[in-house]
Amino acid sequence: MPTLILVRHGRSTANTEGLLAGWTPGVALDERGTAQAASLPGRLEGVPISEVVASPLQRCQETIQPLLDARPGLPAHSEERIGECHYGDWSGRKLAELGDEPLMEVVQAHPSAAAFPGGESMRAMQTRAAEAVREWNARVERDHGADAVYLMCSHGDIIKSLVADALGLHLDLFQRISVEPCSITVIRYTRLRPFLLRLGDTGDFASLVPREEAPGGDAPVGGGAGAP
């Protein structure tokens, strides 16, 4: 079965403004995110990517564009099932104020029971994303062979949920996983089990440098803004 490269979109304007973007339209890459996207072709140079599949949201489409420009003719597809979690009434709100919502504790500690008001549950989010991957695995293998490599550009919570699925982790443990903007995660699928080959690889260790304001113990909903 194929090898899947999962790319989280580059840093967005919502990331830097501390907003939970969700499906809010018009959320673009910021200056740093644009630079991250521009570096993607070089980071993936020599990798024989057969197909590109991306969330329809603007920040993902902008992230893959430099790669598509560098590889004319590379087939590209839009896939709603790997689009961001539908955060419903939480969409567009400040993450700082959402921290006071009683639901946030559930999102952090028991996400399989969390459902966003006016949106979807985190369980449904993982299910649709995993189903999309399995269908694309079959399609890519059919069209390009069992050793094919393809790329999906998606969002933090989606990628974390797919890593949990690949590792056989309960969704309640997925908040222990971190994927920064424009990080690369790689899963090789086989008939019996997936193998996690890379996790949140940015090639940049700036996020490990201690910050003046220490990060809290909660996982950033939506994936966080990455290194400053």
Side-chain angles (χ1 to χ4, degrees):
M1 297 179 70
T3 295
L4 170 60
I5 298 172
L6 288 161
V7 177
R8 186 183 168 200
H9 62 77
R11 196 174 74 176
S12 72
T13 53
N15 292 144
T16 48
E17 292 169 9
L19 300 176
L20 185 62
W23 284 72
T24 304
V27 177
L29 298 182
D30 68 5
E31 185 176 354
R32 178 170 182 165
T34 300
Q36 289 171 332
S39 73
L40 201 56
R43 293 168 65 194
L44 294 171
E45 186 177 4
V47 180
I49 299 170
S50 59
E51 306 262 354
V52 170
V53 185
S55 158
L57 293 171
Q58 180 178 340
R59 52 198 183 273
C60 286
Q61 296 292 323
E62 290 179 349
T63 298
I64 63 167
Q65 193 57 54
L67 178 64
L68 297 178
D69 291 342
R71 302 194 187 196
L74 179 61
H77 314 271
S78 183
E79 172 59 79
E80 288 205 4
R81 291 175 295 175
I82 62 167
E84 182 64 283
C85 184
H86 291 276
Y87 295 116
D89 298 344
W90 281 25
S91 299
R93 292 180 60 188
K94 286 277 190 183
L95 287 164
E97 69 181 39
L98 289 172
D100 296 328
E101 295 279 355
L103 178 61
M104 183 60 85
E105 187 176 12
V106 182
V107 169
Q108 292 293 325
H110 191 18
S112 65
F116 296 99
E120 70 178 334
S121 68
M122 302 198 89
R123 191 173 60 255
M125 173 200 74
Q126 182 187 42
T127 297
R128 63 170 164 88
E131 287 178 349
V133 166
R134 282 162 174 76
E135 289 180 20
W136 278 100
N137 281 349
R139 176 173 171 173
V140 169
E141 181 173 4
R142 180 197 68 203
D143 294 343
H144 302 282
D147 295 328
V149 178
Y150 75 109
L151 181 148
M152 280 186 167
C153 183
S154 188
H155 307 266
D157 282 348
I158 295 287
I159 294 173
K160 287 162 57 177
S161 75
L162 290 171
V163 170
D165 174 76
L167 293 177
L169 293 177
H170 196 283
L171 184 61
D172 286 345
L173 300 179
F174 101 127
Q175 296 290 28
R176 303 182 184 194
I177 299 166
S178 176
V179 289
E180 291 196 2
C182 221
S183 63
I184 292 175
T185 295
V186 184
I187 302 171
R188 178 163 58 86
Y189 288 88
T190 74
R191 187 173 66 87
L192 297 180
R193 65 184 64 85
F195 293 89
L196 182 64
L197 305 183
R198 296 285 190 281
L199 176 60
D201 188 341
T202 63
D204 178 2
F205 295 98
S207 63
L208 303 181
V209 178
R211 306 183 190 181
E212 291 184 10
E213 183 177 333
D218 286 343
V221 181

